[in-house]
Amino acid sequence: MTTFLMIQAIGAGATMSESDAPVAAMLHGMIGQTIIPILVLALIVVALFAHAGLKWALWLAAAVAVQIAIGILAFDAPWVGLLHAANAFTVLALAEVGAYAVAHAPAYVPHAKASMRPAT
């Protein structure tokens, strides 16, 4: 049973043998729809001030928007949950590349402030 079918079954009143499953599903949705978009917006702001990584931060914002849309659509078509899982790796990769670009901005941006130093 996919996670999306399990969440639908719980909503319909079914009980699960594992009592933590509904809590985990609820936390997954809350973090994915609130905390992750807030972190993406923070990365965009930091990228604007660092003058680097903005392209990656915007791609990440698009990938997170797609991730949320896929997650919502998967309740109607649970097979879409496979795309939700696959897109999670895209979100992770874009977040890493964007954070790296921002952290190493002075090394790659000639007009970056001399006081900024890349993370080691």
Side-chain angles (χ1 to χ4, degrees):
M1 173 184 291
T2 68
T3 303
F4 294 102
L5 286 175
M6 179 186 72
I7 295 170
Q8 284 179 340
I10 292 168
T15 58
M16 297 295 178
S17 60
E18 185 71 36
S19 62
D20 293 336
V23 175
M26 182 182 66
L27 285 175
H28 179 84
M30 287 173 34
I31 290 170
Q33 290 182 349
T34 56
I35 304 300
I36 300 298
I38 290 170
L39 291 175
V40 169
L41 290 175
L43 182 62
I44 290 172
V45 170
V46 170
L48 282 169
F49 284 115
H51 300 290
L54 183 61
K55 171 179 67 171
W56 297 110
L58 293 175
W59 277 111
L60 177 62
V64 168
V66 168
Q67 184 75 348
I68 292 170
I70 290 172
I72 292 170
L73 290 173
F75 287 104
D76 294 330
W79 63 269
V80 178
L82 294 172
L83 298 175
H84 184 72
N87 192 51
F89 291 107
T90 302
V91 170
L92 178 64
L94 288 170
E96 289 178 357
V97 171
Y100 183 86
V102 170
H104 293 81
Y108 301 110
V109 180
H111 64 276
K113 295 179 182 177
S115 64
M116 295 175 59
R117 292 189 173 45
T120 55

